[in-house]
Amino acid sequence: GNKNINAKLVLLGDVGAGKSSLVLRFVKGQFVEFQESTIGAAFFSQTVAVNDATVKFEIWDTAGQERYHSLAPMYYRGAAAAIIVYDITNQASFERAKKWVQELQSQGNPNMVTALAGNKADLLDARKVTSEATNKYAQENGLFFMETSAKTASNVNDIFYEIAKRLPRA
Ligand code: GTP
Ligand code: MG
């Protein structure tokens, strides 16, 4: 039969990587060029239907600014899923993403479904992080990886859908 699943999901990643923009695209189908930097964290919810289940995501969009780092465990503790976001045009944001992967591997829920989102995939001319490098890293670390664009909507619904498919069925 059809199952209803509630899943806490947290977005983590560097300042300006596009966490809020991905959520705004997924939840409201919108994009804004001048998205304000998140203070603390923001909460959203959205439902996705997969074959055998309806998944209600309870989404925590965290702030990337370093001064909020100590708050992050409140949001990833007990989370069923995480999306770690970097900006493909910014190598430092990829390095920051790897730090988040390490932190989740050491402190997070071991069964967490973790996705890596290489965002701003529309800015191909400014690319600094190759998809080959990230693919290799993602495979080695048991993550799944997609390049996304909150601006064009490319792969945005898809990444949430892929997470929904991978969640354990109670
Ligand atoms: P913090 O809240 O400070 O941690 O940042 P954030 O990760 O939430 O980033 P945010 O969504 O605020 O996006 C930062 C800037 O990047 C904004 O000006 C967005 O318009 C822009 N942006 C986000 N996603 C994309 C994208 O896919 N493509 C392009 N071209 N710009 C994007
Ligand atoms: Mg934000």
Side-chain angles (χ1 to χ4, degrees):
N2 202 35
K3 295 195 173 73
N4 288 312
I5 299 171
N6 284 358
K8 178 177 170 185
L9 180 150
V10 62
L11 285 102
L12 300 166
D14 208 356
V15 172
K19 299 176 294 299
S20 299
S21 298
L22 287 169
V23 175
L24 184 67
R25 172 61 76 188
F26 175 57
V27 173
K28 297 189 178 152
Q30 296 169 358
F31 176 77
V32 293
E33 291 284 348
F34 301 101
Q35 176 66 40
E36 284 180 27
S37 190
T38 304
I39 312 248
F43 180 79
F44 301 85
S45 76
Q46 177 66 298
T47 299
V48 169
V50 290
N51 296 337
D52 60 332
T54 301
V55 175
K56 183 181 178 198
F57 283 115
E58 295 156 353
I59 302 169
W60 284 101
D61 169 24
T62 67
Q65 291 180 47
E66 194 51 39
R67 73 176 93 141
Y68 299 114
H69 186 177
S70 62
L71 300 180
M74 288 200 309
Y75 301 107
Y76 64 68
R77 197 173 295 138
I83 304 178
I84 297 173
V85 184
Y86 68 94
D87 169 355
I88 69 156
T89 74
N90 181 331
Q91 181 68 38
S93 77
F94 184 52
E95 301 308 321
R96 188 71 192 87
K98 293 183 195 172
K99 296 275 190 226
W100 280 119
V101 172
Q102 285 173 2
E103 182 167 337
L104 289 188
Q105 284 173 348
S106 62
Q107 329 250 359
N109 156 21
N111 302 319
M112 199 180 309
V113 177
T114 308
L116 192 56
N119 191 44
K120 310 198 188 182
D122 56 292
L123 300 177
L124 278 179
D125 291 346
R127 178 192 286 278
K128 295 284 176 356
V129 184
T130 66
S131 56
E132 291 76 14
T134 313
N135 254 320
K136 183 165 178 289
Y137 173 79
Q139 271 176 20
E140 288 166 357
N141 287 276
L143 315 168
F144 79 93
F145 163 55
M146 287 180 134
E147 289 194 344
T148 58
S149 170
K151 184 168 183 172
T152 67
S154 170
N155 274 346
V156 177
N157 288 347
D158 311 65
I159 200 164
F160 285 92
Y161 186 82
E162 287 301 319
I163 290 170
K165 284 202 305 197
R166 286 168 167 78
L167 290 170
R169 302 290 184 256

